[in-house]
């Protein structure tokens, strides 16, 4: 599903964010990326959806050579991915329903399909009853659930999340993780960068620890391993 | 492209036009002004051309005869001219009549002729009318070859001056049009840049969920096209009104000035301007998207 070989990322400033990373994440895996601030977790995640290009090495995601893609092929890579951010990134002038539908509209899905899928994923995140609400009238946890609904509405093979619970309290974080777990149970691969010790320790999934751009630990059912 | 997608593009374009209120109005006005001036020059140049060819069809040829010809010779020349193909009318103007006419034309300044005393420097002449404007030149040339003819002239100078004027106006117009088109392009590009900036969050999300660049660009291009065509419609409206008033006035007061009739002339001008405005709009947004949004 995700294969990296000898991947390095050196930013224009000369900073080495990732240093010779090789890793395989298979279909249905649930992976936490952990590590200190500035370790390179966000950089790792950005390479997967080609927000950044690696300086060297090869990356395969869903069978695509990510670094070798033409710019015009990037949208098709991203259609196979669901991306969730710490700051939700909802559109304030669209309702919950419209925010989720937007992800299908921009890839020109048929209207009937959009209705069916949007209602389905809103059910999945437990927000069908808030479909007509605007993001400003939602709690942080609810907003993140909308963002997750949007990320999965196009049935991606991989969901990539960068600190999705970073702005949420523990209970709400746990709700979000339950949703991710359900998505993962349906066969979707999960890659999540996080600082959330409680979440990592509670979920008992595969943990990849990065420090100074190198993988220092890769463990099934692992612990967070740092003090908060 | 699906119809629904197209609807989506138009909806997005309209909503950002509304969002940009003042900037939209400024763009539309600039385009309108540019195209108005473009249209004015176009109408002016075409009308001058029209006048030039109208005048050309009215010109006659003046055939000046050599001084030493007797009456018989002059009549002989007259007959020969009549036989040239294209000639419809030949009138004899003797030198005394020519002088009288010249004096009339000078009006108050007749005194100038006092230096001539009793001599008359003007030659005997024929005035020749032809069937169609294209005949003027060949007939004049044929006449000039005839024995006893000093030379044959036609209103070539006036027509050429008119054409020179047209060329000049065309040149000035072209420079002005290029300048104004660039101004219109610039302000549309700027408006779209503001729209892009206002929507950068939306654009970011579109990219993350896998919208193609073309899909992201279309609403902006449509917005530019709407700005451009709205401006051109205003210009067209003003031009049509102005030309209508102008032709009415001129037909009343200056009957001899041959303006091009409104229909279908203005239709062509209008279509041209609307197409130009729309292209300027589309181009403006494309430039803006290239420069300010790497999508
Ligand atoms: N665009 C950039 N240009 C230059 N340096 C960058 C850029 N983005 C990140 N970096 C640097 O690369 C290193 C890794 O950053 P990254 O964001 O991947 O860390 P992280 O593990 O996600 O940290 P955090 O836990 O704080 O989010 C950091 O030192 C950061 O300053
Ligand atoms: Mg980070």
């Amino acid at each position: 599903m995700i294969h990296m070989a000898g991947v390095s990322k050196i930013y224009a400033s000369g900073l080495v964010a990732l240093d010779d990373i090789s890793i395989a994440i298979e279909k249905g895996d649930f992976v936490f990326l952990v590590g200190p601030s500035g370790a390179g977790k966000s950089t790792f995640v950005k390479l997967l959806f080609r927000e950044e290009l690696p300086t060297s090495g090869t990356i395969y995601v869903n069978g695509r050579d990510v670094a070798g893609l033409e710019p015009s092929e990037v949208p098709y890579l991203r259609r196979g991915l669901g991306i969730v951010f710490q700051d939700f990134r909802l559109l304030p002038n669209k309702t919950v329903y419209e925010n989720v539908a937007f992800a299908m509209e921009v890839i020109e899905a048929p209207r009937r399909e959009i209705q069916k899928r949007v209602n389905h994923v809103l059910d999945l995140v437990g927000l069908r009853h808030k479909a007509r609400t605007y993001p400003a009238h939602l709690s942080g946890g609810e907003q993140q659930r909308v963002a997750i609904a949007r990320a999965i509405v196009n049935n991606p093979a991989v969901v990539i999340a960068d600190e999705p619970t970073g702005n949420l309290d523990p209970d709400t974080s746990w709700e979000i993780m339950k949703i991710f777990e359900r998505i993962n149970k349906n066969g979707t691969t999960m890659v999540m960068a996080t600082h959330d010790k409680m979440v990592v320790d509670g979920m008992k999934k595969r943990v990849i620890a990065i420090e100074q751009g190198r993988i220092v630990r890769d463990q099934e059912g692992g612990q967070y391993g740092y003090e908060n | 492209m699906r119809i629904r997608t197209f609807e989506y593009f138009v909806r997005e374009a309209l909503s950002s036009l509304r969002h940009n209120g003042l900037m939209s109005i400024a763009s539309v006005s600039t385009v309108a002004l540019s195209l108005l001036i473009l249209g004015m020059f176009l109408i002016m140049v075409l009308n001058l051309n029209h006048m030039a060819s109208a005048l050309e069809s009215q010109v006659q040829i003046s055939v000046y005869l050599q001084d030493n010809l007797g009456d018989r010779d002059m009549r002989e020349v007259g007959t020969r001219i009549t036989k040239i193909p294209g000639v419809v009318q030949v009138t004899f103007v003797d030198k005394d009549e020519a002088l009288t006419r010249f004096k009339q034309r000078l009006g108050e300044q007749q005194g100038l002729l006092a230096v001539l005393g009793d001599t008359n420097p003007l030659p005997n002449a024929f005035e020749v009318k032809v069937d169609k404007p294209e005949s003027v030149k060949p007939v004049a040339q044929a006449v000039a070859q005839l024995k006893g003819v000093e030379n044959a002239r036609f209103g070539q100078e006036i027509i050429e001056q008119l054409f020179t004027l047209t060329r000049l106006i065309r040149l000035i117009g072209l420079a002005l049009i290029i300048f104004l088109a660039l101004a219109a392009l610039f302000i549309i590009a700027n408006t779209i840049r503001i729209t892009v900036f206002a929507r950068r969050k939306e654009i970011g999300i579109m990219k993350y969920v896998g919208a193609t660049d073309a899909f992201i660009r279309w609403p902006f291009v449509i917005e530019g096209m709407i700005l451009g065509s709205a401006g051109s419609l205003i210009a067209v409206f003003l031009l049509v009104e102005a030309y209508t008033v102008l032709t009415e006035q001129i037909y009343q007061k200056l009957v001899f000035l041959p303006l091009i009739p409104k229909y279908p002339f203005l239709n062509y001008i209008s279509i041209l301007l609307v197409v130009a405005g729309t292209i300027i709009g589309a181009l403006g947004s494309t430039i803006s998207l290239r420069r300010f949004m790497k999508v």
Side-chain angles (χ1 to χ4, degrees), chain A residues 75-111:
Chain A
Y76 302 96
L77 165 76
R78 292 181 179 173
R79 287 178 193 193
L81 307 173
I83 307 169
V84 180
F85 299 94
Q86 179 171 358
D87 57 358
F88 321 140
R89 301 196 190 178
L90 300 178
L91 294 170
N93 55 347
K94 290 192 194 295
T95 64
V96 164
Y97 182 94
E98 288 164 351
N99 263 285
V100 177
F102 187 65
M104 294 188 78
E105 273 169 10
V106 302
I107 63 166
E108 300 184 69
R111 186 198 294 270

Side-chain angles (χ1 to χ4, degrees), chain A residues 14-223:
Chain A
L15 188 131
V16 182
L18 290 177
D19 184 7
D20 194 21
I21 299 273
S22 296
I23 192 110
I25 298 170
E26 300 306 335
K27 180 167 162 52
D29 275 6
F30 195 129
V31 175
F32 287 117
L33 286 174
V34 302
S37 185
K41 304 182 293 297
S42 294
T43 303
F44 183 106
V45 161
K46 283 177 186 166
L47 290 178
L48 297 181
F49 58 90
R50 198 112 147 203
E51 176 83 353
E52 295 285 353
L53 275 169
T55 311
S56 59
T58 55
I59 306 173
Y60 277 85
V61 175
N62 288 345
R64 289 176 200 268
D65 174 7
V66 176
L69 290 180
E70 293 293 324
S72 64
E73 295 171 317
V74 172
Y76 302 96
L77 165 76
R78 292 181 179 173
R79 287 178 193 193
L81 307 173
I83 307 169
V84 180
F85 299 94
Q86 179 171 358
D87 57 358
F88 321 140
R89 301 196 190 178
L90 300 178
L91 294 170
N93 55 347
K94 290 192 194 295
T95 64
V96 164
Y97 182 94
E98 288 164 351
N99 263 285
V100 177
F102 187 65
M104 294 188 78
E105 273 169 10
V106 302
I107 63 166
E108 300 184 69
R111 186 198 294 270
R112 193 163 299 174
E113 179 80 9
I114 293 181
Q115 268 177 12
K116 208 176 77 192
R117 283 292 302 167
V118 173
N119 287 328
H120 173 73
V121 293
L122 285 180
D123 269 336
L124 197 101
V125 300
L127 282 177
R128 178 86 173 259
H129 62 292
K130 300 261 181 171
R132 312 233 158 274
T133 312
Y134 286 88
H137 300 152
L138 296 176
S139 72
E142 286 168 335
Q143 289 186 43
Q144 192 61 299
R145 274 146 66 190
V146 177
I148 293 168
R150 182 180 63 197
I152 60 172
V153 75
N154 287 323
N155 254 324
V158 183
V159 169
I160 297 167
D162 194 354
E163 300 194 44
T165 61
N167 285 345
L168 306 175
D169 64 60
D171 285 348
T172 314
S173 298
W174 199 246
E175 276 173 33
I176 296 294
M177 293 320 297
K178 288 293 135 192
I179 292 169
F180 279 146
E181 189 159 46
R182 208 174 315 142
I183 294 167
N184 176 243
K185 285 250 163 63
N186 293 337
T188 307
T189 309
M190 271 294 315
V191 178
M192 171 170 156
T194 184
H195 283 294
D196 200 328
K197 179 174 166 58
M198 179 207 72
V199 158
V200 178
D201 291 350
M203 294 286 288
K204 300 186 176 59
K205 303 290 186 188
R206 179 175 171 192
V207 175
I208 297 174
I210 301 178
E211 288 177 21
Q212 293 183 341
R214 294 178 154 273
I215 295 178
V216 295
R217 174 162 59 106
D218 183 352
Q219 184 182 19
E220 276 304 331
Q223 297 283 300

Side-chain angles (χ1 to χ4, degrees), chain B residues 5-22:
Chain B
T5 305
F6 183 71
E7 279 171 19
Y8 163 83
F9 290 157
V10 173
R11 215 169 45 234
E12 295 293 303
L14 289 177
S15 98
S16 89
L17 282 170
R18 230 175 302 123
H19 194 86
N20 283 348
L22 218 58

Side-chain angles (χ1 to χ4, degrees), chain B residues 20-46:
Chain B
N20 283 348
L22 218 58
M23 210 46 204
S24 302
I25 291 170
S27 317
V28 171
S29 316
T30 317
V31 175
L33 184 70
S34 313
L35 292 178
L36 186 67
I37 293 174
L38 187 147
M40 270 163 37
F41 270 96
L42 206 63
I43 288 178
M44 199 157 38
V45 166
L46 290 174

